[in-house]
């Protein structure tokens, strides 16, 4: 067994010291990495990561406890490869810290780990779309954690692919593609909230074929444009992709509107050559129009929810 580090602390209970600490590179010579951890339960924000070939392959948070507890990463798939550890603290407040210690490579796990091929788990429905875990392998994930799935955010067809988006409880938009609406390939999340706690709630997505938004430059696009609401239930925002939904950018002019409440649904009105948004707020569904997807005006019409 090889000890990689002694106890490392970033921040404390009263004063946050945000940052990123990186270990010396090491070879994954044993299948398990055992360690102790405590602190905030902010996914990818107060955590210990294992990085291989520039990609986070395993991550664990402090699970909102101040007492160090045992945890294990199964690194079998990366035996013999170079890796390093990242200790991340990008949060503040009461749980704005993470502590780790007793980090040891071992032939045996200190905590039992279940190794099952993704989408072949015994209790996973096989005829429904279900979200996967990428780097955080937890049983029974809860809100905001990898593996959680709630509101669908719409379905669009672009360049031979159907794109399905869904919520991970206002943390990010889950993203999957299909060419037949039956077999789906889940991509990594399309985009996350802009900052910790700001939220990225439900909404909709359109393909701006005619580049009415101007988001696509010469030879680019068309842009896929996603509309969503921050946690304040007033800030209506946009994210967009110029490469078939593989990478996304938060629009620099966010929010595009300050209007209650949430879940903007956008579609193209071809007869009038305009975009239309249905936005819920103040117990009504409000109708708005736009020529460019970025600037909106009320149609002075609304529908009561009763």
């Amino acid at each position: 067994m090889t000890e990689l580090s002694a106890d490392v602390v970033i921040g404390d209970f009263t004063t946050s010291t945000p940052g990123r600490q990186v270990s010396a590179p090491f070879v994954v010579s044993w299948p398990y990495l055992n360690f102790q951890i405590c602190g905030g339960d902010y996914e990818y924000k107060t955590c210990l990561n294992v990085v291989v070939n520039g990609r986070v392959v395993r991550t664990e948070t402090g699970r909102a406890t101040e007492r160090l507890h045992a945890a294990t990463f199964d690194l079998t798939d990366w035996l013999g490869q170079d890796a390093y550890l990242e200790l991340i603290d990008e949060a503040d407040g009461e749980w704005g810290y993470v502590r780790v210690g007793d980090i040891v490579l071992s032939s045996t796990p200190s905590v039992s780990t279940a190794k099952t091929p993704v989408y072949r788990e015994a209790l996973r429905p096989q005829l429904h779309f279900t979200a996967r875990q990428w780097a955080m392998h937890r049983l029974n994930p809860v809100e905001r954690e990898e593996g959680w799935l709630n509101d669908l955010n719409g379905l669009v067809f672009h360049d031979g692919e159907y794109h399905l988006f869904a919520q991970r409880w206002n943390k990010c938009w889950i993203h999957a593609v299909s060419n037949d609406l039956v077999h789906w390939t889940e991509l990594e999340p399309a985009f996350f909230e802009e900052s910790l706690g700001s939220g990225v709630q439900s909404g909709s997505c359109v393909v701006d074929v005619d580049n009415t938004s101007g988001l696509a430059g010469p030879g680019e696009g068309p842009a896929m444009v996603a509309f969503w609401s921050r946690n304040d239930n007033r800030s209506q925002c946009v994210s967009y992709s110029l490469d078939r939904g593989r990478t996304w950018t938060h629009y620099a002019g966010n929010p595009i509107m300050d209007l209650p409440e949430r879940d903007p649904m956008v579609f193209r009105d071809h007869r009038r050559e305009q975009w239309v948004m249905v936005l819920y707020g103040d117990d009504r569904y409000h109708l708005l129009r736009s020529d460019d997807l970025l600037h909106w005006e009320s149609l002075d019409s609304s529908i009561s929810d009763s």
Side-chain angles (χ1 to χ4, degrees), residues 98 176 183 210 290:
V98 60
H183 303 90
D210 297 322
S290 174

Side-chain angles (χ1 to χ4, degrees), residues 50-67:
V50 178
V51 181
V52 179
N53 293 326
R55 180 172 176 266
V56 175
V57 298
R58 290 289 184 266
T59 186
E60 180 62 280
T61 71
R63 301 205 181 196
T65 176
E66 59 188 70
R67 177 173 295 182

Side-chain angles (χ1 to χ4, degrees), residues 3-148:
E3 183 170 334
L4 302 179
S5 75
D7 288 359
V8 180
V9 179
I10 298 181
D12 55 38
F13 286 102
T14 57
T15 304
S16 175
T17 309
R20 171 178 177 266
Q21 186 163 334
V22 178
S23 76
F26 63 94
V27 175
V28 182
S29 54
W30 294 100
Y32 300 104
L33 186 75
N34 298 324
F35 56 99
Q36 301 275 327
I37 189 168
C38 69
D41 192 25
Y42 301 113
E43 181 183 356
Y44 294 108
K45 297 296 183 181
T46 52
C47 59
L48 178 69
N49 296 333
V50 178
V51 181
V52 179
N53 293 326
R55 180 172 176 266
V56 175
V57 298
R58 290 289 184 266
T59 186
E60 180 62 280
T61 71
R63 301 205 181 196
T65 176
E66 59 188 70
R67 177 173 295 182
L68 286 166
H69 60 276
T72 295
F73 288 141
D74 184 344
L75 302 181
T76 303
D77 292 342
W78 299 279
L79 278 170
Q81 298 189 43
D82 293 332
Y84 64 87
L85 303 180
E86 288 181 324
L87 190 62
I88 305 293
D89 171 24
E90 295 180 352
D92 53 22
E94 183 179 4
W95 290 110
Y97 75 98
V98 60
R99 292 192 181 97
V100 297
D102 301 329
I103 305 175
V104 177
L105 279 168
S106 176
S107 60
T108 57
S110 61
V111 175
S112 296
T113 60
K115 186 175 177 60
T116 304
V118 175
Y119 300 120
R120 292 290 180 265
E121 299 90 340
L123 299 180
R124 182 189 289 272
Q126 295 300 305
L127 296 178
H128 302 273
F129 177 77
T130 51
R132 62 164 292 179
Q133 294 177 312
W134 294 88
M136 181 175 289
H137 290 183
R138 290 185 179 180
L139 296 175
N140 304 315
V142 298
E143 298 94 334
R144 300 173 69 84
E145 294 179 354
E146 288 184 346
W148 180 273

Side-chain angles (χ1 to χ4, degrees), residues 140-181:
N140 304 315
V142 298
E143 298 94 334
R144 300 173 69 84
E145 294 179 354
E146 288 184 346
W148 180 273
L149 174 69
N150 55 296
D151 304 8
L152 292 177
N153 290 337
L155 188 73
V156 295
F157 183 78
H158 174 47
D159 197 20
E161 290 180 317
Y162 294 95
H163 293 258
L164 178 153
F165 301 96
Q167 276 291 297
R168 192 198 293 167
W169 202 278
N170 75 13
K171 179 74 172 179
C172 65
W173 272 31
I174 293 169
H175 187 194
V177 295
S178 172
N179 57 19
D180 62 6
L181 290 175

